[in-house]
Amino acid sequence: MRFPVDLWVKKLLFHAYAPLGWARFPNHVSLDITRRCNLRCQMCFYYGGDGRNDLRLEELTGQEIISLVVNRLEGTDYDLTGGEPLVRTDLVEILKAIRDRRAACSVTTNGTLMTPDLARRMVEDELLTGIHFSLHGLKETHEEITRVKNSFDRTLRGIEWILAARAKKGGASPEITIACTISGRNMKEAEKMIQLADHIRVDRISFGHASFMPPEIQHTHQRVMEGLGLAPEPDYDDLVQGPPEISVSRQDLEVYVQTLSQVRHSPKGAKVRTSPERYREEDMRNHFLDLNWKYKTSCIYPWRNLRIGPDGTITPCIGYRIGNVREQDIRQLWNHKRFRKFRSILYRKKLFPGCLRCCKLK
């Protein structure tokens, strides 16, 4: 249990070193191990828009990930993302190395490439603390969003294999979450998605919210970052999006908002989350209807979280390149002068124009 004095001391310490851009240590690593993917989701940072179909980078090998990242960090947990992590044939090798460091690890996957053997190994070898299956609606809606036929059934099958392996082992790990990205296409199906999650007996369902911003703010963000000496690199500018590619009906949005409001006050509420977790009813409405809206007024994500791209490039959260783990020690990069510059400016500015709707503003 955290006592108020502990939180006060931590806050005081943070404001002592944060203005200079220093950070104590990363307690979380977001490891984007590939940008390859077998689906083409409409709202995806990498493949949702036109002309973004060839985003492969020179990926770190499994041994590089282990030697240059996992073996050099202590006290961190991991979230493996993509692209689609299951396209990597060395995924189990990476997961075993993280487990052997006694670090918690979760994977976000569309689940279509799961196999009974992979599910068994993940569960029996205790490679994961959590697994998030991306499922963006009921069958017709999900496959319209992913643009791949039978992707819904294949994802459900992947979930079933993990559930079966977990039941056979007799434990509750990994925690299984359905991760549903909310857009204008699927928000009216939220209630049925909650029912589906309950029916197949996963542990949780989490509703994220599609990230987007109007072109004028996108241009403003680019100008501001260039003026601050923090110009993003195009290959890593993946959190700056244009307008929503899927239009939103006010009526469907209200159905979604009321569904979430009701379920939060029901026995099922503990199993239903939003990202950010503290989104209120008005936050959900503003997210989709007010193009200039932002969730919070400041961000501390780069002081706690280390974000690593498939080729080893470290970025705070947007496309400002700090360095690469192939070229420099990851422990030195964490408080590299470029990282300190980024944090120091963010501390003063609170947020940048491109921070609108960011899921990291928790």
Side-chain angles (χ1 to χ4, degrees), residues 194 257-272 279-281 284:
I194 294 169
V257 170
Q258 293 307 316
T259 296
L260 268 291
S261 178
Q262 291 169 13
V263 78
R264 281 173 169 171
H265 297 91
S266 75
K268 296 180 181 179
K271 294 186 176 183
V272 179
Y279 252 21
R280 302 165 299 173
E281 293 180 23
M284 298 176 200

Side-chain angles (χ1 to χ4, degrees), residues 36-47:
R36 292 175 286 153
C37 188
N38 58 322
L39 303 185
R40 291 294 182 268
C41 297
Q42 292 176 348
M43 67 292 182
C44 177
F45 293 143
Y46 303 145
Y47 297 106

Side-chain angles (χ1 to χ4, degrees), residues 85-86 97 122 141 158 161 171 181 199 210 242 338 340:
L86 269 59
M122 285 180 168
T141 301
W161 282 329
T181 301
H199 175 71
R338 287 177 62 83
R340 298 200 310 271

Side-chain angles (χ1 to χ4, degrees), residues 55-319:
L55 292 164
R56 299 189 184 190
L57 300 172
E58 188 182 343
E59 296 174 358
L60 295 172
T61 65
Q63 283 303 309
E64 284 179 315
I65 290 174
I66 294 167
S67 63
L68 300 179
V69 179
V70 178
N71 288 346
R72 298 192 182 187
L73 294 176
E74 296 284 352
T76 62
D77 58 19
Y78 289 81
D79 182 17
L80 270 55
T81 65
E84 171 48 54
L86 269 59
V87 304
R88 292 206 48 150
T89 58
D90 55 2
L91 178 61
V92 168
E93 176 187 9
I94 297 167
L95 294 177
K96 283 183 176 179
I98 294 173
R99 178 206 59 191
D100 291 345
R101 300 287 284 186
R102 297 183 179 180
C105 182
S106 64
V107 167
T108 299
T109 173
N110 62 50
T112 60
L113 302 178
M114 185 65 69
T115 66
D117 181 63
L118 179 57
R120 178 188 59 77
R121 297 176 73 183
M122 285 180 168
V123 175
E124 288 186 0
D125 295 343
E126 299 180 353
L127 301 181
L128 294 172
T129 53
I131 183 166
H132 309 272
F133 287 92
S134 300
L135 200 64
H136 306 305
L138 301 181
K139 182 176 174 63
E140 182 179 350
T141 301
H142 178 76
E143 293 180 5
E144 183 177 351
I145 290 173
T146 63
R147 296 182 278 200
V148 174
K149 189 177 181 180
N150 295 325
S151 57
F152 178 84
D153 297 325
R154 291 164 62 192
T155 297
L156 284 187
R157 187 173 58 191
I159 295 173
E160 290 168 357
W161 282 329
I162 290 287
L163 283 166
R166 197 174 72 171
K168 183 177 180 180
K169 191 173 190 296
S173 185
E175 184 178 80
I176 303 169
T177 300
I178 286 179
C180 179
T181 301
I182 289 296
S183 67
R185 178 63 62 199
N186 60 9
M187 53 181 53
K188 62 181 178 294
E189 295 183 354
E191 183 176 3
K192 291 183 178 179
M193 289 297 294
I194 294 169
Q195 293 171 355
L196 174 65
D198 189 51
H199 175 71
I200 62 179
R201 299 191 177 186
V202 297
D203 300 298
R204 301 187 187 281
I205 181 169
S206 177
F207 295 102
H209 299 81
S211 176
F212 60 89
M213 69 178 65
E216 58 270 23
I217 294 180
Q218 184 175 354
H219 298 326
T220 298
H221 175 78
Q222 185 73 26
R223 291 197 302 271
V224 168
M225 300 306 282
E226 289 175 353
L228 294 170
L230 304 174
E233 296 185 12
D235 285 346
Y236 276 87
D237 193 14
D238 52 21
L239 295 186
V240 180
Q241 301 293 295
E245 297 191 20
I246 306 174
S247 60
V248 174
S249 158
R250 287 177 179 266
Q251 181 178 356
D252 289 347
L253 176 58
E254 197 58 33
V255 168
Y256 169 70
V257 170
Q258 293 307 316
T259 296
L260 268 291
S261 178
Q262 291 169 13
V263 78
R264 281 173 169 171
H265 297 91
S266 75
K268 296 180 181 179
K271 294 186 176 183
V272 179
R273 293 180 175 175
T274 61
S275 178
E277 292 183 11
R278 295 182 178 86
Y279 252 21
R280 302 165 299 173
E281 293 180 23
E282 201 58 28
D283 295 325
M284 298 176 200
R285 295 187 183 98
N286 288 333
H287 183 100
F288 290 100
L289 299 179
D290 183 354
L291 294 181
N292 296 298
W293 177 79
K294 57 179 178 287
Y295 176 53
K296 285 194 173 183
T297 57
S298 63
C299 176
I300 60 172
Y301 180 84
W303 279 268
R304 297 178 177 177
N305 300 269
L306 181 60
R307 184 167 175 262
I308 308 173
D311 64 345
T313 295
I314 289 179
T315 59
C317 55
I318 58 173

